[in-house]
Amino acid sequence: MEAALGASWNLPHSCKGGSCGLCKARLLAGEVHYPNGRPLGLSDAEIGAGYILLCQARARSDLELELHEVRAAHEGGASRLPCRIERAVPVTHDVMRVLLRRPPAVDFAFKAGQYVDIVLSDDKRRSFSIASPPHDSRLLELHVRRVAGGEFTEWLFGNGRREDDGRDVALQRTAVQDALITIEGPLGRFFYREAPPGAGPLLLIGGGTGIAPLLSILRHIIENGIERELILYWGARGRRDLYVDSAILELGRRAPRMRYVPVLSEPEPGWAGRIGFVHAAVLQDFDELGGCEIYAAGPPAMIEALRSEFPRHGAAADRLYCDSFDYAQDSLERQRSSAATKS
């Protein structure tokens, strides 16, 4: 680490004391030693897999290292950093609102709409969009949907105890609260682009937890006083799945040029709003999409339908930005294995 910094190369790091694990790298060839003893930031499994901590390791020979990231000191980009779970609150039966506190001394500049990876054991990753805006990044807000067989979500939901007092559903202090996790980011090319003069309406389309990056974009625009016509469509199954409905309505009260259209595919009796698939609701309202700048985030089926049908209604390819929310491959494999066992 000292050699890299001295040569003006910026490697991910934070504590420089061997406990945060941020400067982890894999040793491919060569020999190192730890004059201060084995660092706390490495597990037995990581040591067995050949990982070292660059802030503590001293070279005994020339080294060949597998670095997750290396860049010139003046360059930006993604980095790994430890975050502590400040709060984890169930906002519906299968979605958790997670607030992460990042190290105060570490800069984390992201664009509205980007995501982070949560790094699990064996370098497996789970991707979650950031729901908070760049100007309010003291706590990073993630919306985590429970996935059957999901390593991270089963831990997150399984270690919590729900208590409903008739008003709020809160996750009590458990092993999840204050847990230290590693994230990598910011990542992704799905982010808000500043509009050129005379730009048309900004059309935002979310499905399920795909509302998270759109919420970041909305807050970025509204809370920074950017004047734009905003139209948000949010698709969900039932009324309870519109878990940030009140927050969106509050944003709408502050932005007179914003219109919000919730769409339910499986509505409860008495629902007076729109019904069906969210992309179909958009097409019912817009004969021509050529003047719109479109941001869409949600399940693969929604994104596939949107990409197939919207161009036929004039949507320009260079103004159609999509973020498909899919399951991690190993979670899908665990689900298939579980289904096969039960069948």
Side-chain angles (χ1 to χ4, degrees):
M1 176 64 66
E2 292 172 355
L5 294 176
S8 297
W9 288 101
N10 190 7
L11 304 180
H13 66 280
S14 180
C15 71
K16 294 187 179 179
S19 58
C20 74
L22 189 58
C23 64
K24 194 183 307 174
R26 193 190 297 270
L27 179 62
L28 302 179
E31 184 182 358
V32 301
H33 72 109
Y34 294 107
N36 299 320
R38 170 180 164 172
L40 298 175
L42 282 178
S43 67
D44 291 337
E46 289 168 334
I47 291 174
Y51 284 100
I52 64 172
L53 288 188
L54 301 179
C55 74
Q56 299 295 301
R58 299 296 185 267
R60 282 183 166 155
S61 68
D62 289 342
L63 305 178
E64 184 179 346
L65 299 172
E66 181 183 80
L67 300 173
H68 178 75
E69 176 189 3
V70 57
R71 62 183 188 271
H74 65 277
E75 295 177 344
S79 60
R80 287 193 184 190
L81 66 154
C83 289
R84 198 169 294 279
I85 296 180
E86 180 86 0
R87 292 181 61 204
V89 181
V91 289
T92 184
H93 66 291
D94 64 347
V95 176
M96 188 86 73
R97 179 175 179 255
V98 178
L99 297 176
L100 302 179
R101 181 177 295 278
R102 57 184 177 81
V106 178
D107 184 38
F108 188 79
F110 65 94
K111 298 179 181 180
Q114 288 190 299
Y115 70 92
V116 297
D117 276 352
I118 292 179
V119 184
L120 307 178
S121 58
D122 299 325
D123 208 38
K124 290 182 288 189
R125 300 154 182 270
R126 297 295 182 267
S127 301
F128 299 99
S129 292
I130 305 170
S132 44
H135 63 270
D136 185 15
S137 62
R138 182 180 61 89
L139 295 177
L140 300 178
E141 178 178 338
L142 310 179
H143 298 173
V144 180
R145 181 178 298 282
R146 187 169 196 169
V147 177
E151 180 179 342
F152 175 69
T153 62
E154 290 293 359
W155 168 79
L156 183 67
F157 282 80
N159 281 285
R161 179 168 58 89
R162 290 182 58 168
E163 291 190 357
D164 191 345
D165 62 2
R167 293 170 297 172
D168 298 310
V169 179
L171 185 69
Q172 301 303 301
R173 189 178 184 88
T174 67
V176 168
Q177 195 89 9
D178 292 330
L180 192 65
I181 62 174
T182 299
I183 70 168
E184 178 183 312
L187 301 166
R189 300 295 299 168
F190 182 82
F191 55 80
Y192 176 69
R193 279 83 169 166
E194 298 299 333
L202 181 64
L203 181 58
L204 306 169
I205 306 163
T209 53
I211 193 64
L214 305 185
L215 189 59
S216 177
I217 292 173
L218 277 174
R219 289 191 57 193
H220 168 75
I221 293 172
I222 294 171
E223 293 173 7
N224 282 291
I226 301 172
E227 289 294 329
R228 293 209 66 174
E229 181 182 356
L230 304 170
I231 308 169
L232 170 65
Y233 287 78
W234 185 18
R237 287 188 177 180
R239 181 67 182 83
R240 67 176 180 175
D241 299 305
L242 299 173
Y243 59 87
V244 288
D245 189 65
S246 59
I248 294 172
L249 292 172
E250 176 59 30
L251 285 172
R253 284 189 281 271
R254 299 165 57 184
R257 298 185 67 194
M258 173 180 162
R259 181 159 64 95
Y260 168 45
V261 183
V263 183
L264 300 184
S265 59
E266 299 175 10
E268 297 84 351
W271 171 254
R274 303 290 290 276
I275 297 174
F277 293 119
V278 65
H279 74 280
V282 174
L283 295 178
Q284 290 169 6
D285 295 345
F286 287 83
D287 293 328
E288 172 59 42
L289 293 168
C292 298
E293 188 178 6
I294 305 170
Y295 290 80
M302 183 197 92
I303 298 300
E304 183 180 353
L306 184 148
R307 282 178 168 157
S308 172
E309 298 183 32
F310 276 29
R312 301 174 192 165
H313 293 260
D318 61 348
R319 288 182 299 198
L320 175 59
Y321 308 102
C322 297
D323 192 6
S324 181
F325 283 31
D326 207 348
Y327 295 135
Q329 187 60 39
D330 58 298
S331 290
L332 291 173
E333 291 171 357
R334 289 174 67 178
Q335 290 179 26
R336 295 189 192 106
S337 175
S338 176
T341 302
K342 293 176 183 177
S343 61

